[in-house]
Amino acid sequence: SLIFARQMFVVGELLQYLPPEDRITPIVGMLQGVVEKGGEARRVALAVQGALQLLAADTARSAEAKAELVGQLLAKAQQPEARKLLISALGDYPSGKARDLAAGLVDDPQCGAEAQAALQRIRNASMQPPGLTASHNAGELKNATDKNPGSRWTTGTGMAPGQWLELDLHAS
């Protein structure tokens, strides 16, 4: 854990020099270089895992954009284990791009099973009811989509700047 703490200190120091509006893209780009260069399978798998963890933590990027980055990594990855990790991750980003990438790999003898599983997760996500979040009165969100014309969602307060309702349609 001491080594990890020291690495985090060094990384934290380096992050201050990255653009504050997007600190993830340059790091993913460096990890793409490791994947493209290839070499030891463990090193490439660690680079892929690091890139996937960064994408998972990125709340500003859409599922479509994340799937695009996974596709770029996938195009450079040669080792079967790295490819399997990337293909499996497509299921985390339900979008047209993820669906197309996974569908194109279903017949791949080395990673077709992972592609099929990712495709199924993408399909399942598209069948989910919409996700709802709100700035206020989250307990009443079910009223926004309950198909009852007599109910509704409200903030529970008077209108004010900064109030919002977000509807996640699980883009496909």
Side-chain angles (χ1 to χ4, degrees), residues 34-48:
V34 172
V35 172
E36 187 172 15
K37 192 181 288 185
E40 181 191 0
R42 186 175 186 283
R43 183 172 165 253
V44 172
L46 286 172
V48 165

PDB file of all heavy atoms in Angstrom, residues 34-48:
ATOM      1  N   VAL A  34       0.516   2.174 -25.057  1.00  0.00           N
ATOM      2  CA  VAL A  34       1.001   0.918 -24.468  1.00  0.00           C
ATOM      3  C   VAL A  34       0.328  -0.256 -25.148  1.00  0.00           C
ATOM      4  O   VAL A  34       0.972  -1.248 -25.501  1.00  0.00           O
ATOM      5  CB  VAL A  34       0.744   0.889 -22.938  1.00  0.00           C
ATOM      6  CG1 VAL A  34       1.069  -0.479 -22.362  1.00  0.00           C
ATOM      7  CG2 VAL A  34       1.542   1.980 -22.246  1.00  0.00           C
ATOM      8  N   VAL A  35      -0.986  -0.153 -25.359  1.00  0.00           N
ATOM      9  CA  VAL A  35      -1.731  -1.237 -26.005  1.00  0.00           C
ATOM     10  C   VAL A  35      -1.244  -1.434 -27.430  1.00  0.00           C
ATOM     11  O   VAL A  35      -1.021  -2.555 -27.879  1.00  0.00           O
ATOM     12  CB  VAL A  35      -3.252  -0.946 -25.969  1.00  0.00           C
ATOM     13  CG1 VAL A  35      -4.021  -1.951 -26.805  1.00  0.00           C
ATOM     14  CG2 VAL A  35      -3.754  -0.933 -24.535  1.00  0.00           C
ATOM     15  N   GLU A  36      -1.038  -0.342 -28.160  1.00  0.00           N
ATOM     16  CA  GLU A  36      -0.604  -0.419 -29.553  1.00  0.00           C
ATOM     17  C   GLU A  36       0.796  -1.015 -29.670  1.00  0.00           C
ATOM     18  O   GLU A  36       1.066  -1.815 -30.562  1.00  0.00           O
ATOM     19  CB  GLU A  36      -0.621   0.972 -30.177  1.00  0.00           C
ATOM     20  CG  GLU A  36      -0.352   0.965 -31.669  1.00  0.00           C
ATOM     21  CD  GLU A  36      -0.557   2.332 -32.280  1.00  0.00           C
ATOM     22  OE1 GLU A  36      -0.620   3.331 -31.546  1.00  0.00           O
ATOM     23  OE2 GLU A  36      -0.662   2.383 -33.510  1.00  0.00           O
ATOM     24  N   LYS A  37       1.658  -0.641 -28.749  1.00  0.00           N
ATOM     25  CA  LYS A  37       3.031  -1.150 -28.778  1.00  0.00           C
ATOM     26  C   LYS A  37       3.066  -2.651 -28.501  1.00  0.00           C
ATOM     27  O   LYS A  37       3.942  -3.356 -28.977  1.00  0.00           O
ATOM     28  CB  LYS A  37       3.881  -0.399 -27.755  1.00  0.00           C
ATOM     29  CG  LYS A  37       5.366  -0.643 -27.917  1.00  0.00           C
ATOM     30  CD  LYS A  37       6.169   0.095 -26.862  1.00  0.00           C
ATOM     31  CE  LYS A  37       6.174   1.583 -27.121  1.00  0.00           C
ATOM     32  NZ  LYS A  37       7.047   2.308 -26.192  1.00  0.00           N
ATOM     33  N   GLY A  38       2.103  -3.126 -27.726  1.00  0.00           N
ATOM     34  CA  GLY A  38       2.045  -4.549 -27.418  1.00  0.00           C
ATOM     35  C   GLY A  38       3.088  -4.928 -26.392  1.00  0.00           C
ATOM     36  O   GLY A  38       3.355  -4.189 -25.467  1.00  0.00           O
ATOM     37  N   GLY A  39       3.685  -6.078 -26.594  1.00  0.00           N
ATOM     38  CA  GLY A  39       4.690  -6.544 -25.643  1.00  0.00           C
ATOM     39  C   GLY A  39       4.097  -7.528 -24.679  1.00  0.00           C
ATOM     40  O   GLY A  39       3.209  -8.312 -25.019  1.00  0.00           O
ATOM     41  N   GLU A  40       4.599  -7.487 -23.451  1.00  0.00           N
ATOM     42  CA  GLU A  40       4.177  -8.431 -22.424  1.00  0.00           C
ATOM     43  C   GLU A  40       2.658  -8.327 -22.197  1.00  0.00           C
ATOM     44  O   GLU A  40       2.113  -7.242 -21.997  1.00  0.00           O
ATOM     45  CB  GLU A  40       4.926  -8.123 -21.123  1.00  0.00           C
ATOM     46  CG  GLU A  40       4.572  -9.060 -20.004  1.00  0.00           C
ATOM     47  CD  GLU A  40       5.105  -8.586 -18.661  1.00  0.00           C
ATOM     48  OE1 GLU A  40       5.753  -7.529 -18.596  1.00  0.00           O
ATOM     49  OE2 GLU A  40       4.825  -9.284 -17.685  1.00  0.00           O
ATOM     50  N   ALA A  41       1.993  -9.475 -22.238  1.00  0.00           N
ATOM     51  CA  ALA A  41       0.530  -9.525 -22.130  1.00  0.00           C
ATOM     52  C   ALA A  41       0.034  -8.897 -20.828  1.00  0.00           C
ATOM     53  O   ALA A  41      -0.976  -8.185 -20.826  1.00  0.00           O
ATOM     54  CB  ALA A  41       0.036 -10.959 -22.244  1.00  0.00           C
ATOM     55  N   ARG A  42       0.730  -9.125 -19.727  1.00  0.00           N
ATOM     56  CA  ARG A  42       0.306  -8.569 -18.435  1.00  0.00           C
ATOM     57  C   ARG A  42       0.348  -7.044 -18.465  1.00  0.00           C
ATOM     58  O   ARG A  42      -0.547  -6.380 -17.963  1.00  0.00           O
ATOM     59  CB  ARG A  42       1.194  -9.106 -17.316  1.00  0.00           C
ATOM     60  CG  ARG A  42       0.736  -8.684 -15.936  1.00  0.00           C
ATOM     61  CD  ARG A  42       1.612  -9.357 -14.859  1.00  0.00           C
ATOM     62  NE  ARG A  42       1.141  -9.103 -13.532  1.00  0.00           N
ATOM     63  CZ  ARG A  42       1.305  -7.955 -12.864  1.00  0.00           C
ATOM     64  NH1 ARG A  42       1.900  -6.935 -13.441  1.00  0.00           N
ATOM     65  NH2 ARG A  42       0.861  -7.820 -11.644  1.00  0.00           N
ATOM     66  N   ARG A  43       1.376  -6.500 -19.051  1.00  0.00           N
ATOM     67  CA  ARG A  43       1.519  -5.035 -19.134  1.00  0.00           C
ATOM     68  C   ARG A  43       0.390  -4.433 -19.976  1.00  0.00           C
ATOM     69  O   ARG A  43      -0.205  -3.422 -19.610  1.00  0.00           O
ATOM     70  CB  ARG A  43       2.883  -4.712 -19.752  1.00  0.00           C
ATOM     71  CG  ARG A  43       3.193  -3.263 -19.842  1.00  0.00           C
ATOM     72  CD  ARG A  43       4.656  -3.085 -20.293  1.00  0.00           C
ATOM     73  NE  ARG A  43       4.863  -1.740 -20.720  1.00  0.00           N
ATOM     74  CZ  ARG A  43       5.020  -1.356 -21.978  1.00  0.00           C
ATOM     75  NH1 ARG A  43       5.036  -2.241 -22.951  1.00  0.00           N
ATOM     76  NH2 ARG A  43       5.202  -0.099 -22.277  1.00  0.00           N
ATOM     77  N   VAL A  44       0.077  -5.064 -21.086  1.00  0.00           N
ATOM     78  CA  VAL A  44      -1.001  -4.580 -21.953  1.00  0.00           C
ATOM     79  C   VAL A  44      -2.347  -4.702 -21.236  1.00  0.00           C
ATOM     80  O   VAL A  44      -3.162  -3.781 -21.283  1.00  0.00           O
ATOM     81  CB  VAL A  44      -1.000  -5.334 -23.296  1.00  0.00           C
ATOM     82  CG1 VAL A  44      -2.218  -4.980 -24.123  1.00  0.00           C
ATOM     83  CG2 VAL A  44       0.281  -5.037 -24.070  1.00  0.00           C
ATOM     84  N   ALA A  45      -2.556  -5.826 -20.549  1.00  0.00           N
ATOM     85  CA  ALA A  45      -3.820  -6.010 -19.818  1.00  0.00           C
ATOM     86  C   ALA A  45      -3.971  -4.951 -18.728  1.00  0.00           C
ATOM     87  O   ALA A  45      -5.066  -4.422 -18.523  1.00  0.00           O
ATOM     88  CB  ALA A  45      -3.886  -7.415 -19.218  1.00  0.00           C
ATOM     89  N   LEU A  46      -2.888  -4.603 -18.058  1.00  0.00           N
ATOM     90  CA  LEU A  46      -2.950  -3.558 -17.036  1.00  0.00           C
ATOM     91  C   LEU A  46      -3.272  -2.196 -17.660  1.00  0.00           C
ATOM     92  O   LEU A  46      -4.037  -1.412 -17.080  1.00  0.00           O
ATOM     93  CB  LEU A  46      -1.638  -3.488 -16.255  1.00  0.00           C
ATOM     94  CG  LEU A  46      -1.405  -4.625 -15.260  1.00  0.00           C
ATOM     95  CD1 LEU A  46       0.012  -4.556 -14.692  1.00  0.00           C
ATOM     96  CD2 LEU A  46      -2.430  -4.591 -14.136  1.00  0.00           C
ATOM     97  N   ALA A  47      -2.707  -1.928 -18.815  1.00  0.00           N
ATOM     98  CA  ALA A  47      -3.007  -0.665 -19.511  1.00  0.00           C
ATOM     99  C   ALA A  47      -4.484  -0.617 -19.898  1.00  0.00           C
ATOM    100  O   ALA A  47      -5.149   0.412 -19.736  1.00  0.00           O
ATOM    101  CB  ALA A  47      -2.122  -0.503 -20.738  1.00  0.00           C
ATOM    102  N   VAL A  48      -5.005  -1.725 -20.396  1.00  0.00           N
ATOM    103  CA  VAL A  48      -6.422  -1.800 -20.768  1.00  0.00           C
ATOM    104  C   VAL A  48      -7.295  -1.610 -19.529  1.00  0.00           C
ATOM    105  O   VAL A  48      -8.261  -0.838 -19.551  1.00  0.00           O
ATOM    106  CB  VAL A  48      -6.735  -3.139 -21.477  1.00  0.00           C
ATOM    107  CG1 VAL A  48      -8.230  -3.398 -21.545  1.00  0.00           C
ATOM    108  CG2 VAL A  48      -6.120  -3.153 -22.862  1.00  0.00           C
TER     109      VAL A  48
END
